[in-house]
Amino acid sequence: MIVLYHCYSANHTSLTAANIHLGRLPLDRRPTYHEVLAQPGFDTHHRRLIGTPLPMGIDDHGHRVYCWGLEAGQQRLLAAALQLAEAAGGSTADLLPVGALAAANWWMRVGGFLSRRCNQVALGRPLVAVGTWLAYPALAQCARRTCGRLP
């Protein structure tokens, strides 16, 4: 099974949910601010990677985990990707798309915009890290629910 966490840019919500899923971040407590910042790839993916599924690793049950930035129109792009996979003769039965953007909050949106779009990393990254820390219970629930859906 392939688990595909998706959000706007694959820099924050989907990346954090994937890291929780893979056990790199705790499921039973909020990480520290520094643990949030220490995630590989946190707030560092370039815009040119949007639209590219990024491999995060393989979980304890052999499921491949990815994060995927889809910008605006996520549902349409995701539906198109699934249709293309089927049209090419592939199966989507082994693909589990998981939306993580619902966990994003104002801190994450403003911080991500400043850091990734305006290149004001010194201002944006601390904001998005605080926002991720605040959103962490929802992201952990997303990963927990996803793990419960897997065979």
Side-chain angles (χ1 to χ4, degrees):
M1 179 75 71
I2 296 172
V3 179
L4 190 58
Y5 288 97
H6 59 90
C7 67
Y8 191 82
S9 69
N11 271 299
H12 311 111
T13 56
S14 64
L15 181 107
T16 301
N19 279 322
I20 296 168
H21 179 121
L22 291 167
R24 294 180 185 143
L25 287 171
L27 191 58
D28 58 343
R29 65 170 176 84
R30 275 191 182 160
T32 65
Y33 172 82
H34 295 290
E35 286 175 307
V36 168
L37 284 173
Q39 295 179 77
F42 185 79
D43 195 50
T44 60
H45 294 143
H46 192 275
R47 276 196 86 213
R48 72 177 177 273
L49 293 176
I50 290 175
T52 303
L54 305 173
M56 296 294 293
I58 298 174
D59 72 11
D60 293 341
H61 301 287
H63 305 294
R64 291 178 289 172
V65 179
Y66 292 80
C67 65
W68 194 16
L70 295 175
E71 285 194 334
Q74 287 189 41
Q75 295 308 315
R76 286 183 287 152
L77 290 170
L78 184 59
L82 294 172
Q83 289 173 357
L84 284 172
E86 287 178 349
S91 170
T92 59
D94 290 331
L95 179 66
L96 178 60
V98 180
L101 189 59
N105 54 41
W106 179 88
W107 295 88
M108 297 173 82
R109 293 175 198 278
V110 171
F113 177 78
L114 288 170
S115 180
R116 307 309 330 138
R117 287 287 178 105
C118 300
N119 200 30
Q120 297 297 316
V121 176
L123 293 173
R125 190 166 293 161
L127 291 176
V128 80
V130 167
T132 302
W133 185 85
L134 291 169
Y136 197 82
L139 293 166
Q141 181 60 28
C142 176
R144 185 180 295 113
R145 199 173 25 247
T146 300
C147 290
R149 293 175 58 192
L150 295 170

